[in-house]
Amino acid sequence: MKHSGKFIGGILLIFIGINILLSMVGVNIGGIIGLLIGGALLYFGYTKWQDKGQWSFSSIILVTFGALMLLGGLGGIVSLLIGAFLVYGGYKLMKTNSESKVDFKENKKSSFDTIDEEFAKLMKEGRN
C-alpha cells in the first residue's frame, strides 16, 4: 500500500474514532464527514474534467458520487428538487402581474346580480 493511501486511511480512522467518542457525550458530527468526503469527490471530479477538457467516465463517477454524498443520497436530491419546485411555484403564485389583474368595477353586472333580481321578482309575485 502506498504511503498516501495509508495516510488517507489513517485520517479516516481518526475521524471515525473522534465521531464515536464525541457521540458518547452527545455531540454528533457524522454529517460533517459525509459533507467533507462528498465535497472532496466533487472537487476531484471537477479537476479531472478541467484537466482533460472533457467529461471522462471517472470524472462523471466522481462528480455523481460526490453530489450524492453531499446532498444526502438520492433522497436528498429528490427532496431538493421538490423543495425548489415548491418555492418556485409559491413565488409565481405570489407574484402579481398587472396584465392578469381583474377590474371588478368594469363588470357591474355579475351572475349574482341576476340571481338577486330573479329573487326580487319572485318575492314581488308572492306578495301579489
Side-chain angles (χ1 to χ4, degrees):
M1 184 180 249
K2 292 184 179 178
H3 187 313
S4 62
K6 288 182 180 182
F7 182 75
I8 292 172
I11 289 175
L12 187 62
L13 287 176
I14 289 172
F15 276 133
I16 292 171
I18 289 173
N19 188 21
I20 291 171
L21 293 174
L22 288 176
S23 68
M24 291 176 63
V25 294
V27 177
N28 189 4
I29 61 167
I32 294 173
I33 294 171
L35 288 175
L36 291 174
I37 294 172
L41 289 175
L42 272 175
Y43 175 74
F44 290 135
Y46 178 75
T47 55
K48 281 189 126 192
W49 172 64
Q50 289 293 322
D51 290 342
K52 291 187 177 183
Q54 63 181 3
W55 288 104
S56 65
F57 181 72
S58 60
S59 63
I60 291 172
I61 294 294
L62 285 172
V63 168
T64 303
F65 284 134
L68 285 174
M69 288 184 76
L70 195 65
L71 297 174
L74 194 57
I77 293 173
V78 171
S79 298
L80 176 71
L81 291 176
I82 291 172
F85 175 73
L86 291 175
V87 167
Y88 176 74
Y91 173 74
K92 288 299 246 183
L93 284 175
M94 289 175 45
K95 184 180 175 187
T96 57
N97 293 334
S98 60
E99 300 155 359
S100 66
K101 289 184 182 177
V102 178
D103 189 14
F104 290 109
K105 293 179 183 177
E106 286 181 12
N107 300 332
K108 296 188 181 198
K109 198 88 162 163
S110 69
S111 62
F112 295 112
D113 292 335
T114 58
I115 292 172
D116 290 339
E117 290 172 1
E118 290 293 324
F119 184 71
K121 287 180 190 177
L122 289 173
M123 293 302 291
K124 286 181 184 179
E125 289 176 8
R127 290 183 189 166
N128 292 334

